[in-house]
Amino acid sequence: MSNLAILPIIIPLLSGIILAFFPKKLTLVRLLSKLFIIGNLLVSGFVLYTVYTSGSIILETGAWPAPYGIIIVADSLSILLVFTTNIVAAACAFYAPHSLSDRKEQHYFYAFFFFLITGVSGAFLTGDIFNMFVFFEVLLMASYALIVLGGDKIQLRESIKYVLINLFSSILFVTAVAFLYATVGTVNMAQIAQRVQEVDQQGILTTIGILLFFVFATKAALFPLYYWMPNSYIEPNPVISALFGALLTKVGIYAIIRVFSLIFIYKIDMTHEIFIWIAGLSMIFGIIGALSTNNIKLIIAYNIIPAIGFIIMGIGIFNETAVSGSIYYLVHDMIIKTALFLIAGTVTYVAGTSDLRKFSGLIHYYPVLGWLLFLAAFVLAGIPPFSGFIGKLLLLTGALSESEIAIVIIALISSLLILYSIMKIFIKGFWGVKDASFQPKSTKGLIGPIAFLLALSVILGIGAEFFIPSIENISAYLLDPEIYIDSVLKE
Amino acid sequence: MYKSNDLILRTTTSIIVFILLGFSIYLLLAGHNSPGGGFIGGLITASAIMLLYISYGSETIEKILPINYRLLVPIGLLLALGTGIGSFFFSVPFLSHTYGYFHIPFFGELELATAMLFDTGVYITVLGVTLTIILSISKDQ
């Protein structure tokens, strides 16, 4: 039944509402939140299975036919991302009780956590551009509450910046939607795509496309709009940083993928050429940021930017290999960034500081944590058997077949430097002489979720043979917008 | 000690509050066919309660209206979401609304729609959010 498509949005919303009734009963709240997130993971897995076996699920809410009502489209790309979101969220839900203080948990942490998942899933699943704006706001509102949770001075300062920049880009989003509505007369994405095709993407439509790109690039932290991101992502608790790093920027990327593979695809030499340059600059500036600091959290946060660059590069090149590379890299990056933020949080917790110059020799006390970090560095940089390799290989093959040599060189060098920036944490923090005065802290419950995520990304790399065909199906589907339009408008 | 005498304010408030509350309920119910609805109805109810707080002070009002406004937010959301989920049991798409004609004593033949329940959810949520914001700002710590 078509109502399946809305379940990944409703379940977290309902869970958040239920948990908002008794925020102080921590034992019950923790238990329920784990149950709810596992339930949601299973349901979205089932929807994923249904979509892969019997095609996209289109839900016309309120039984209004497609261009008039709001539609929810669970197609192979959106439901894959929703499923990944739930994996990440499940790991965070299990990590959270061990990392957050009781006081923070009592102040509606779990309710906001579920509202964040609601917003992210909604933004992935919607088929209506104004509805996408609304779900962006749902996830941003929840993220405002999460970023300031605890109320430290530095959190308050960073949240002001975060709220201001996001408010500004939301205003720009509404303006762009208003322009688009004035030009094509609809907010349903399938119908917009159809009408843009009919009027042959005039100049004004390209302008609106670039405007929308700026909005999504601000949310996704691309060059030159990333300056707000690194500092505001490291100040909240590690769980919250992990959720932000894994989900918020990726929603912006998803919006770019969707809009520029469905709607604005008739002036590719103009728009998509810009993307390649922005991707290259994001990689360069992101990696410079990651190398410039000794703060381990900041190193991880800066590593988001080149990853976003890699994904955008695939959209810019816009052939089947490169787009499947982007999708593969997107899924891989959501999982590995969560794992890295959780590792950085754990290291900061056990060492008592996030400054690399102040501790060393942790491997004597925490061998498992050390080797997990080592593995994560390999996965992130793209050492062959692991998942980062497959995505980058597809992207580089795609780029070479369009003879975009410059971006290939930049991508390869930045991969090397990504490896160096993470290995620096391992070399400086974990190697070295045993510090006898060090007081080891218990890492009970913190290692499990990290190991789970890393195991998944290793499977994603080793089992690539199994995943690649469905990823290639998604990219073939994305490159032929007619399938989407026909499935939504039923012509 | 000087004690302010706000007899005129309190007397006028006790009359105006009932007009405001009645008007807000009217707006909530009229929303389907004329301007109004859950959002504006909730805001006007909240402003009536705020007027009570301003003229009688928070101790008095907390005694006569012992409501935890923070709890109203999930209740309203649950009601609004519940009308959407209700459509699952009738095998129709999410958020499908329906209506029917009912004979109610004294009022006679009335058209009742499930969209009204959704609006009531909005009303309760707006009321809860507005009063939570204002009362948590006003209580200085």
Side-chain angles (χ1 to χ4, degrees), chain B residues 16-50:
Chain B
I16 287 179
V17 158
F18 284 102
I19 299 174
L20 276 176
L21 287 175
F23 184 55
S24 71
I25 299 294
Y26 163 75
L27 280 176
L28 169 68
L29 296 175
H32 200 70
N33 297 317
S34 41
F39 186 77
I40 187 72
L43 278 183
I44 292 183
T45 309
S47 60
I49 294 174
M50 270 326 294

Side-chain angles (χ1 to χ4, degrees), chain A residues 269-285:
Chain A
D269 49 333
M270 181 126 184
T271 48
H272 290 51
E273 190 66 33
I274 300 174
F275 296 172
I276 298 181
W277 286 106
I278 287 182
L281 288 167
S282 301
M283 288 175 205
I284 295 169
F285 280 83

Side-chain angles (χ1 to χ4, degrees), chain A residues 404-438:
Chain A
E404 299 278 359
I405 304 297
I407 190 79
V408 171
I409 294 168
I410 294 174
L412 285 172
I413 293 174
S414 70
S415 296
L416 193 66
L417 294 175
I418 286 171
L419 181 63
Y420 173 65
S421 71
I422 304 290
M423 280 322 240
K424 198 168 83 174
I425 305 178
F426 186 72
I427 293 167
K428 285 194 178 172
F430 281 86
W431 283 359
V433 265
K434 193 171 177 177
D435 186 356
S437 65
F438 188 74

Side-chain angles (χ1 to χ4, degrees), chain A residues 1 3 6-7 10 13-14 17 20-21 59-63 108, chain B residues 70-71 74-75 77-78 81 85 87-88 91-96:
Chain A
M1 160 143 189
N3 268 338
I6 195 116
L7 282 178
I10 294 182
L13 181 55
L14 197 61
I17 294 170
F21 277 108
L59 168 63
E60 293 165 336
T61 56
Y108 297 93
Chain B
R70 199 172 285 186
L71 217 54
I75 291 174
L77 285 174
L78 202 60
L81 187 62
I85 293 176
S87 57
F88 281 25
S91 300
V92 287
F94 180 69
L95 275 179
S96 296

Side-chain angles (χ1 to χ4, degrees), chain B residues 88-105:
Chain B
F88 281 25
F89 299 108
F90 300 96
S91 300
V92 287
F94 180 69
L95 275 179
S96 296
H97 284 285
T98 182
Y99 62 96
Y101 293 94
F102 297 92
H103 189 80
I104 291 168

Side-chain angles (χ1 to χ4, degrees), chain A residues 75-135:
Chain A
D75 61 8
S76 41
L77 173 64
S78 54
I79 197 67
L80 176 67
L81 293 178
V82 168
F83 184 64
T84 319
T85 302
N86 279 301
I87 291 175
V88 166
C92 288
F94 279 87
Y95 188 93
H98 302 283
S99 172
L100 289 156
S101 63
D102 285 0
R103 201 179 125 260
K104 286 184 182 176
E105 283 182 276
Q106 281 171 350
H107 280 84
Y108 297 93
F109 168 78
Y110 292 102
F112 287 122
F113 169 78
F114 277 107
F115 291 144
L116 186 77
I117 307 297
T118 311
V120 172
S121 308
F124 285 146
L125 288 171
T126 183
D128 178 300
I129 203 153
F130 193 77
N131 204 233
M132 184 186 261
F133 165 76
V134 174
F135 277 117

Side-chain angles (χ1 to χ4, degrees), chain A residues 383-460:
Chain A
I383 306 291
F386 301 123
S387 57
F389 173 70
I390 318 286
K392 279 179 188 165
L393 181 69
L394 288 169
L395 282 169
L396 297 180
T397 320
L400 281 176
S401 70
E402 304 282 324
S403 32
E404 299 278 359
I405 304 297
I407 190 79
V408 171
I409 294 168
I410 294 174
L412 285 172
I413 293 174
S414 70
S415 296
L416 193 66
L417 294 175
I418 286 171
L419 181 63
Y420 173 65
S421 71
I422 304 290
M423 280 322 240
K424 198 168 83 174
I425 305 178
F426 186 72
I427 293 167
K428 285 194 178 172
F430 281 86
W431 283 359
V433 265
K434 193 171 177 177
D435 186 356
S437 65
F438 188 74
Q439 301 284 328
K441 291 177 191 157
S442 161
T443 54
K444 183 176 159 287
L446 298 174
I447 298 291
I450 301 172
F452 165 71
L453 288 170
L454 280 175
L456 271 183
S457 58
V458 169
I459 291 170
L460 196 64

